[in-house]
Amino acid sequence: MKRIICAIALSALCLGALAQVPAPVSFQKSSGVPNKSKELSKKIGKSAFAKRTASLPEFARGEAYLLELTPKGYKVEANSETGYFYALQTLRQIDQCGTVFDYPRFAYRGFMMDLSRHFRSKDYIIKQLGALASLKINRLHLHLTDDAGWRLSIDRYPLLTSKAAWRVGASWDEWVKGGQKYSSEGAVDASGGYLTKADVKEILAAAERHHITVIPEIEMPGHSREVVAAYPEVGCNADSRELCPGKEATFTLLEGILDEVIELFPSKYIHIGGDEAAKRDWHNCPDCQARMKAEGLSNVEELQSYLIARIERYLNAKGRSLLGWDEILEGGLSPNATVMSWRGTSGGLEAMAQGHDAVMTPGRYCYLDKVQDAPIYEPEGFGGFLSLDVARSYDPLAEVPSELAHHLLGVQGNLWAERIPTDQHYEYMTYPRIAAIAEVGWSSPESAGDFRERVIKWNDSIRDGSLTGQCYNAFDLHKERGERDAFKYGFKHLALGKSVSYKHPWHPNYTAAAAATLTDGEGGGWSYGDGRWQGFLSDVDVTIDLGEETPLHFVGATFMCDPGPGIFLPKKAEVWVSSDGKEFTLVGQAYNEIKTPVHSYVLFGVPVDTKGRYVRYKATRSREWLFTDEIIVK
Ligand code: ACM
Ligand code: ZN
């Protein structure tokens, strides 16, 4: 018995678990009561530590640290003030004596805040830095401009803030429903706001104290309706949602804006957006057409590339680097651009294959605007479900060939704000999932094993203010419900493994398990994009062959409703039965009895009392998408 106790004590000493987020590279536990208030020594860039970290990549050397905590006090060694700062972040969370040796897995560990869809103030942004720095997040990407409001003061173009920062409609939804109208500063119907240059300087100074680089995003050429509203001469027409790459006025304006952005923000990277430009007006705009002819551009994708490449030359000439969403690959990537991969990881992988750097922000793991727990109990998200565990499970290197790994700068969590009107709600969506992203960026994938235990402690400490001195409205992990039961436990029923024929094919983007999906016993989760739900832009009309005449008591299927991404319940469902696969009899129907679509999961089931070999289930689409996961036959 004694020997067993010794063995356990010894293994704890060697392995040493540390309740910290992000998990450190190594922790050697020692005995005694820690004295966290006395600094015994601080050695920056001294030869012993420099030697110890010499084989690490340069970014990791700069952020590495050694922290030794004993009953007498603590000692820190690092190669830079940033490494020292990270040692102090660890010190705040550590609750036992020992030695931590630590460095990051990736150079870039980011968080993106959307200030356009709902404005967030300077004070709110500064407040977040404490929690983010405690996670060793080192990039704050500010999405400063979008259709819903321009959020940065530009001296040369005052209408961007006196007009385009103000809209009619306090919430994004109200603004969209009201026809996306702008107002002006001081008007009674004006909602919005913007950061002055003095505000930005305060944010930058606070970010510097937290060793966080702020990356400004000035969106172009799409998501720019507010710019055209303020300065119509840069649109193909006065109602354009996009900038006109045919007009020189556009470049004059963009370069004028970038001059001031560069002067204000020291960041090497300037994010220029580049995503989701529909390019519709470009087809009929004489200036766009003339530009395409003059430059020998064969399509509108190349016209976008022309704009991005020209902006890149401008930024490069001023010593800055261009960062953009993965659409900047379409029509040809600019020579030195870095790609932020959001539509999955393929854009990032393609950029790296072309010799460019990439930051991974795939929607499936990094989009914090998705709800984080059972959607029926959560405030409405923008579509989809992203749990803390799924965010932590992401390994950005998993798909990257080793010879390209040096091009993978890191990872970022994005929090779009369409459905997030309040500061409290914005914090609720940020925390604790940004801790998962931070740990993906800093720690090894193996440390995911005890992540939950560690992050609960971290999350409690930012909720009650004990970690940073500020209380954050983080989601309470003690109340987490987790995935849908159907996803966790699946279904058992008579049609399991039986063959299904489809009258209309499933949509290629949402194949799930193809023809096996609806009888494989696997239930969908809270998210339509989890690979368990099959998506249709048609009726769902399928026939199951049970193989032999079978007594039947119930046939049904669950449909998802998620209005954000356009997923709705069917109008009705019909169940038909046949013995020969030719003559079918209608045996029951179920109707949609829910008037207002809300995020929900509704069983369209029919009790029957019959027998048959073939079961036809037909769900009639109401609008846009239908998503279902299983046809249950009992
Ligand atoms: C994006 O989510 N449109 C980058
Ligand atoms: Zn044009």
Side-chain angles (χ1 to χ4, degrees), residues 9 82 84 92 171 175 190 196 210 238 240 278 288 321 376 381 395 400 428 432 446 454 489 506 541 548 566 577 624:
T82 303
Y84 175 71
R92 280 182 162 175
S171 75
W175 175 68
T196 64
H210 290 87
S240 287
C288 285
S321 300
I376 38 185
D395 180 359
V400 181
Y428 181 86
E446 291 75 49
R454 291 181 286 107
Y489 308 119
W506 55 83
D541 192 347
E548 60 188 348
V577 172
E624 300 185 64

Side-chain angles (χ1 to χ4, degrees), residues 275-276 325 342 367 416:
D275 60 317
E276 297 183 313
W325 302 111
W342 72 280
Y367 267 44
W416 302 101

Side-chain angles (χ1 to χ4, degrees), residues 374-486:
I376 38 185
Y377 303 105
E378 289 296 303
E380 196 191 350
F382 202 62
F385 169 68
L386 174 64
S387 69
L388 178 77
D389 292 343
V390 169
R392 178 63 189 93
S393 72
Y394 179 46
D395 180 359
L397 270 180
E399 302 169 286
V400 181
S402 57
E403 68 275 15
L404 297 180
H406 64 285
H407 281 306
L408 179 58
L409 299 183
V411 64
Q412 175 170 290
N414 294 335
L415 184 48
W416 302 101
E418 283 92 338
R419 294 268 148 70
I420 314 183
T422 69
D423 285 354
Q424 288 78 6
H425 189 188
Y426 206 83
E427 284 185 356
Y428 181 86
M429 301 300 275
T430 305
Y431 310 108
R433 287 179 297 179
I434 194 62
I437 306 284
E439 185 156 301
V440 167
W442 183 281
S443 313
S444 75
E446 291 75 49
S447 59
D450 65 353
F451 174 66
R452 176 159 288 273
E453 266 166 68
R454 291 181 286 107
V455 78
I456 285 175
K457 198 168 161 231
W458 176 86
N459 204 47
D460 288 347
S461 77
I462 66 158
R463 280 168 57 83
D464 67 17
S466 59
L467 185 66
T468 70
Q470 301 245 40
C471 296
Y472 297 84
N473 184 41
F475 171 78
D476 184 357
L477 280 171
H478 299 284
K479 296 189 177 149
E480 190 180 30
R481 295 164 201 263
E483 256 297 4
R484 198 168 161 248
D485 282 351

Side-chain angles (χ1 to χ4, degrees), residues 409-631:
L409 299 183
V411 64
Q412 175 170 290
N414 294 335
L415 184 48
W416 302 101
E418 283 92 338
R419 294 268 148 70
I420 314 183
T422 69
D423 285 354
Q424 288 78 6
H425 189 188
Y426 206 83
E427 284 185 356
Y428 181 86
M429 301 300 275
T430 305
Y431 310 108
R433 287 179 297 179
I434 194 62
I437 306 284
E439 185 156 301
V440 167
W442 183 281
S443 313
S444 75
E446 291 75 49
S447 59
D450 65 353
F451 174 66
R452 176 159 288 273
E453 266 166 68
R454 291 181 286 107
V455 78
I456 285 175
K457 198 168 161 231
W458 176 86
N459 204 47
D460 288 347
S461 77
I462 66 158
R463 280 168 57 83
D464 67 17
S466 59
L467 185 66
T468 70
Q470 301 245 40
C471 296
Y472 297 84
N473 184 41
F475 171 78
D476 184 357
L477 280 171
H478 299 284
K479 296 189 177 149
E480 190 180 30
R481 295 164 201 263
E483 256 297 4
R484 198 168 161 248
D485 282 351
F487 183 93
K488 287 190 280 198
Y489 308 119
F491 303 108
K492 288 203 171 36
H493 59 96
L494 289 177
L496 276 188
K498 304 297 186 202
S499 77
V500 181
S501 59
Y502 288 71
K503 180 150 185 221
H504 312 291
W506 55 83
H507 191 278
N509 291 0
Y510 300 99
T511 58
T517 304
L518 299 180
T519 52
D520 64 359
E522 304 247 302
W526 298 122
S527 173
Y528 62 93
D530 63 15
R532 299 276 192 94
W533 292 93
Q534 202 159 53
F536 297 83
L537 280 173
S538 63
D539 292 345
V540 174
D541 192 347
V542 294
T543 302
I544 301 168
D545 179 358
L546 295 170
E548 60 188 348
E549 194 84 346
T550 308
L552 300 168
H553 302 289
F554 174 87
V555 179
T558 298
F559 287 82
M560 177 187 293
C561 181
D562 192 354
I567 301 167
F568 294 94
L569 299 175
K571 271 191 264 195
K572 67 167 179 173
E574 295 168 2
V575 176
W576 300 69
V577 172
S578 165
S579 294
D580 59 6
K582 294 184 187 105
E583 296 287 319
F584 280 83
T585 310
L586 181 65
V587 292
Q589 303 183 68
Y591 292 89
N592 179 17
E593 288 161 355
I594 298 167
K595 202 166 166 190
T596 309
V598 291
H599 198 148
S600 52
Y601 304 79
V602 180
L603 177 67
F604 282 70
V606 177
V608 298
D609 184 12
T610 184
K611 56 187 175 141
R613 172 173 167 179
Y614 298 91
V615 175
R616 177 180 173 206
Y617 186 91
K618 181 182 178 195
T620 311
R621 186 165 68 128
S622 54
R623 54 190 162 128
E624 300 185 64
W625 292 92
L626 283 178
F627 272 80
T628 189
D629 58 347
E630 187 86 359
I631 311 287

